[in-house]
Amino acid sequence: MSRIARVALDTPLDRLFDYLAPDAEAADIGRRVEVPFGPRILVGVLVELGTHSEVAATSLKSLQRIDRDTPPLPADLLALARFAAGYYHHALGAVLASLLPPALRRGGRPARAAEPAAYAPSETGRGELAGIDTRKPAQFALAARLLAAPVVRAELNGREKALLRDWSKRGWVQGHAAPTWPADEAGPVAPTPTPDQEAALNAIRAAGAGFSPWLLHGVTGSGKTEVYLRLVADTLAQGRQSLILVPEIHLTPQLTERFAQRFPGSRLIGLHSGLADGERRAGWLAALRGDADIILGTRLAVFTPLPRLGLIVVDEEHDTSYKQMEGMRYSARDVAVWRARQAGVPVLLGSATPALETWRNAKVGRYRLLGLAARAHAQASLPKVRLIDSRTDRPKQGLGKALLAALDAALQRGEQSLVFINRRGYAPTLLCNGCGHVFPCPRCSAHLVLHRARAGYRLVCHHCGLDTRPPEACPDCGGVDLRPAGQGTQRVEEALAGHFPQARILRVDRDTAARKGAFSAMRERVAAREVDILVGTQIVAKGHDFPHLTLVGVIGADQALVSPDFRATERLFAQLMQVAGRAGRAEHPGEVLIQTRYPGHPLYQAVARHDYPGFAEAALRERRAAGFPPFVAQAVLRAEASSEEAALGFLLAARESGMEIGKSLAPGVEMFDPVPALMLRIAGRHRLQLLLQSDTRARLQGFLGHWLEALAKLPARGAKWVLDVDPVDV
Ligand code: ADP
Ligand code: ZN
């Protein structure tokens, strides 16, 4: 009887491929395999075994190799991948490929895959290592290190690595998951939970094992992380693994440190796209083998294989970084909830400003709501928010009198301030004072942003990267009075330096934080009080705990109130609450000044009251009235092409076929006309989109299944298209 292996390959074709595999066994399901595919050898995952194929036996090829050095992907992960592939309408092979670490997507024997993240002496090796002679200083030193604590591979030089390979062959040392904290150091004592924390923990513990979804709502500093830590402790005690998701790579070092300190004996790994391939593979394999106890990572970590999974936490669950914007457009938060359901474990979503979808899920009882009302630190209170009317206190170069006075006072007290402006560069536009001409990007529907570089000013496109020298004269009227209009971080930094020449000012935005390690260096400078005033975009607003920062100034926030994106106000509210949360975290009370032309706006009023529920209820009422999510389910078909006609032509044909399906097979889905995307043109590509919505996800999904089959058969006419289920930017 011939054995047929069905293999998921990373091709856009949503089907499995059959190969002859005489020696494959059931235990090989979930393993990486190498197969011939046309002229190439591809890496795929064996997902099913069968005995017959629809392909003629003579044209079937054979599996080239089954990777039995790596444990197979567990069945629950395969099931999760199938679920995600089905829900997001993405090819299973592509989903499986994207959940492998890059180093395991390539073929060939992973020669170095066996190298562990760290080494520790084996039982028998201890004696041998202790017996190494001092006359071999390098060996002696390395042996001494090993006997004291596991040695991390990434910290070794080439010679030491070679020694360890040798000792490993002799059986003196064995692999060990990388410890991030010396094992002999005792963790700090956990603080006694506040009554709110206690209540939250009791509720979750009382629910027992099994799936239960929770929303932990608490302002920054209310002690959410402390709740996570306690739940992780419970999970460790059960001998199970915890998966902790965070929105940003930048946030992982801080949190990793806190977890490592609390659980010195446990094996903790980080997983995010900033890791070197080897590190990521090592961490992933440690998780897959069940060696790692705590996995802390960004959205991609939601697909980590975890044979002993016991708990999932999604911190800052509202953060849009959980949504993947390319390839399979998934929401890691939503996948986390499905995963918890499937694995039968609790999932805890934490936020000071939950996504409106999540808040509603809690309100209708799908999630259970837990609240942390006050700040955990006994002395810390919420910052006072002042709305500064910029119609009367008119800002110069972005800064009004009230904000300048507050900054001055903070400087006098020797305390730190943060000026938040969510625009990088010098000025959002360069303007001709003669005719009002602004400089558009020739390839995108956006203005060029004025930046200040070492060699003078530049005009830069934030979408396609175009970077040119500003012209001497206006191309329209020939006038030479060209002026920057509006503020960006660089201009505010310059203005602050003019007002406070003695202050030490640090700008933090994507331009200054781009280099690896730059971000943590900045954090350290602020923590060491080498900085008086921070100027930055939202990247400084997230999750940083600076105890001496007592003043936050917000400028340029009004912009979001006039955005065509219906989610812009939700994001603004979350950003303002988050940035306000930076002020006064420890013993120092904080103050937040928001410069706005609309101090009476309900959004700002809610920020001033620190009133998330008030904001959320009002926003949900508006969404319901307008028929927006979460009251409807949406999907958007995006098409892009070198001409608008091509993209539009494809979408019109797609709409046509959708109408047929709606009439006959799957009714109840509303289809809108194709419209330009929020950014019509990026890098010369025209982008249009077609929005679909329905009262229920099930109805929408039923429709999409049929529709995508039809779309695959439509001529693309030079357009590239992609489906986005539950889009966050339409
Ligand atoms: P969040 O994650 O909500 O921002 P954290 O858990 O980081 O809040 O807590 C904020 C601060 O309060 C931290 O410095 C933390 O150590 C402290 N903290 C948390 N819980 C307690 C507690 N029960 N008693 C004393 N301090 C606490
Ligand atoms: Zn551009």
Side-chain angles (χ1 to χ4, degrees):
M1 187 177 69
S2 66
R3 284 233 154 190
I4 306 292
R6 292 196 227 294
V7 177
L9 292 173
D10 186 8
T11 70
L13 297 176
D14 190 9
R15 47 166 285 212
L16 300 175
F17 296 86
D18 289 359
Y19 288 90
L20 291 170
D23 65 340
E25 306 160 10
D28 291 324
I29 291 177
R31 286 200 200 277
R32 293 167 68 239
V33 294
E34 284 170 31
V35 298
F37 190 82
R40 292 178 300 157
I41 300 292
L42 293 185
V43 171
V45 176
L46 198 168
V47 294
E48 286 169 19
L49 279 178
T51 50
H52 72 276
S53 171
E54 282 167 19
V55 182
T58 47
S59 40
L60 276 177
K61 292 181 184 163
S62 297
L63 279 191
Q64 191 120 355
R65 193 175 93 81
I66 300 179
D67 172 12
R68 292 197 172 105
D69 301 332
T70 311
L73 297 175
D76 69 325
L77 191 69
L78 290 178
L80 184 70
R82 279 184 195 274
F83 173 82
Y87 185 82
Y88 294 111
H89 301 274
H90 207 69
L92 179 63
V95 177
L96 285 169
S98 70
L99 71 78
L100 294 174
L104 292 178
R105 286 173 212 165
R106 294 188 283 271
R109 202 164 283 273
R112 304 203 304 135
E115 303 231 29
Y119 290 95
S122 63
E123 280 294 297
T124 52
R126 289 197 161 266
E128 304 282 354
L129 292 170
I132 289 177
D133 206 305
T134 50
R135 274 171 300 180
K136 296 177 186 160
Q139 299 196 18
F140 180 81
L142 185 58
R145 272 169 73 188
L146 275 163
L147 290 168
V151 166
V152 178
R153 220 183 92 81
E155 292 167 3
L156 298 172
N157 62 32
R159 186 170 164 183
E160 291 167 330
K161 283 182 193 163
L163 268 175
L164 278 168
R165 272 195 293 272
D166 179 41
W167 292 351
S168 164
K169 275 194 206 119
R170 297 192 209 185
W172 295 2
V173 294
Q174 61 199 18
H176 195 280
T180 42
W181 203 252
D184 53 5
E185 206 150 319
V189 184
T192 313
T194 61
D196 278 351
Q197 286 170 333
E198 188 79 52
L201 288 164
N202 285 342
I204 298 172
R205 286 171 181 153
F211 172 64
S212 56
W214 305 87
L215 169 60
L216 180 62
H217 174 231
V219 296
T220 0
S222 61
K224 294 186 294 298
T225 310
E226 188 57 40
V227 173
Y228 309 156
L229 286 161
R230 298 237 165 207
L231 293 174
V232 168
D234 292 355
T235 312
L236 280 170
Q238 296 159 10
R240 301 177 78 181
Q241 297 171 299
S242 303
L243 174 64
I244 317 291
L245 299 180
V246 293
E248 294 261 344
I249 297 179
H250 295 314
L251 298 181
T252 54
Q254 247 184 329
L255 208 61
T256 305
E257 207 172 297
R258 209 160 147 194
F259 275 77
Q261 282 185 12
R262 182 65 66 85
F263 305 112
S266 69
R267 289 153 297 179
L268 178 102
I269 59 160
L271 280 180
H272 54 75
S273 59
L275 296 176
D277 278 5
E279 271 177 294
R280 189 152 147 208
R281 178 181 57 198
W284 191 86
L285 286 173
L288 171 62
R289 296 200 171 104
D291 290 342
D293 298 311
I294 304 170
I295 292 83
L296 215 151
T298 51
R299 64 169 180 262
L300 58 88
V302 75
F303 290 109
T304 311
L306 296 162
R308 301 185 281 119
L309 180 63
L311 170 73
I312 304 181
V313 172
V314 184
D315 189 27
E316 308 287 358
E317 64 85 30
H318 65 279
D319 200 295
T320 45
S321 336
Y322 283 122
K323 172 85 177 181
Q324 164 104 355
M325 296 291 205
E326 56 198 37
M328 178 168 73
R329 284 151 166 78
Y330 65 92
S331 152
R333 182 217 28 236
D334 294 348
V335 173
V337 176
W338 287 313
R339 182 165 189 179
R341 182 191 303 275
Q342 196 180 49
V345 302
V347 56
L348 182 64
L349 311 179
S351 177
T353 51
L356 290 175
E357 283 82 358
T358 307
W359 188 249
R360 176 148 184 277
N361 278 335
K363 287 287 155 184
V364 300
R366 275 196 281 268
Y367 301 164
R368 287 175 62 187
L369 180 62
L370 305 166
L372 302 178
R375 287 197 152 179
H377 231 280
Q379 299 97 327
S381 49
L382 288 171
K384 188 169 164 1
V385 177
R386 271 165 61 196
L387 299 170
I388 308 298
D389 190 338
S390 46
R391 289 167 305 186
T392 47
D393 180 358
R394 301 188 65 154
K396 291 207 183 69
Q397 294 175 298
L399 304 163
K401 286 199 186 67
L403 180 54
L404 285 170
L407 286 166
D408 192 33
L411 277 171
Q412 303 294 335
R413 295 193 306 267
E415 292 171 359
Q416 294 173 318
S417 308
L418 162 65
V419 176
F420 172 74
I421 169 165
N422 214 2
R423 275 170 177 273
R424 66 195 168 91
Y426 188 81
T429 44
L430 181 66
L431 180 77
C432 169
N433 206 34
C435 72
H437 177 82
V438 287
F439 293 78
C441 174
R443 316 192 314 144
C444 304
S445 6
H447 293 148
L448 294 171
V449 177
L450 192 67
H451 277 248
R452 224 171 120 159
R454 217 168 281 138
Y457 288 98
R458 310 286 301 174
L459 280 172
V460 177
C461 175
H462 283 191
H463 301 278
C464 71
L466 179 100
D467 185 337
T468 66
R469 212 149 60 94
E472 301 289 323
C474 173
D476 265 13
C477 72
V480 291
D481 186 7
L482 303 181
R483 297 182 181 181
Q487 325 322 314
T489 46
Q490 288 181 321
R491 196 176 194 187
V492 172
E493 178 188 19
E494 183 185 278
L496 286 167
H499 284 288
F500 307 110
Q502 76 288 12
R504 295 161 301 174
I505 300 172
L506 178 69
R507 173 165 61 88
V508 182
D509 54 29
R510 199 146 23 105
D511 300 316
T512 63
R515 263 181 310 111
K516 198 178 171 178
F519 197 80
S520 45
M522 289 174 190
R523 235 187 64 207
E524 277 159 28
R525 283 185 58 197
V526 179
R529 305 184 77 170
E530 290 166 20
V531 173
D532 300 308
I533 304 177
L534 264 166
V535 184
T537 55
Q538 53 158 345
I539 67 173
V540 285
K542 289 185 183 176
H544 304 288
D545 194 348
F546 299 128
H548 302 286
L549 202 152
T550 55
L551 173 68
V552 170
V554 176
I555 63 189
D558 288 344
Q559 197 65 28
L561 297 179
V562 295
S563 165
D565 181 350
F566 73 85
R567 283 189 173 83
T569 47
E570 180 182 356
R571 282 198 296 269
L572 174 63
F573 185 84
Q575 266 174 11
L576 292 178
M577 293 288 277
Q578 203 149 35
V579 78
R582 296 306 115 222
R585 298 257 302 173
E587 296 74 30
H588 311 267
E591 188 180 29
V592 180
L593 267 63
I594 301 175
Q595 295 185 167
T596 169
R597 297 177 59 78
Y598 317 105
H601 195 286
L603 185 145
Y604 291 127
Q605 292 292 326
V607 172
R609 295 192 310 267
H610 300 279
D611 181 12
Y612 170 80
F615 166 78
E617 296 306 330
L620 282 172
R621 273 196 300 277
E622 280 172 28
R623 294 271 185 99
R624 185 194 290 275
F628 284 147
F631 299 95
V632 296
Q634 291 186 331
V636 64
L637 181 68
R638 305 180 193 278
E640 61 163 69
S642 50
S643 77
E644 197 169 337
E645 293 70 42
L648 183 63
F650 173 78
L651 290 181
L652 286 172
R655 190 167 189 281
E656 189 93 358
S657 87
M659 295 301 244
E660 288 305 312
I661 292 165
K663 259 184 246 155
S664 53
L665 293 167
V669 172
E670 192 177 357
M671 257 201 280
F672 293 84
D673 287 326
V675 292
L678 285 177
M679 285 276 304
L680 170 62
R681 221 154 44 99
I682 294 182
R685 306 278 292 174
H686 292 255
R687 304 154 71 250
L688 280 83
Q689 63 191 30
L690 175 59
L691 180 68
L692 315 169
Q693 64 183 38
S694 179
D695 291 345
T696 70
R697 283 185 174 196
R699 212 172 265 149
L700 182 61
Q701 283 293 334
F703 173 87
L704 292 176
H706 295 293
W707 195 40
L708 278 154
E709 264 174 47
L711 291 184
K713 294 185 196 122
L714 280 185
R717 304 161 205 242
K720 260 179 63 185
W721 58 270
V722 63
L723 183 76
D724 188 347
V725 179
D726 303 330
V728 293
D729 53 345
V730 288

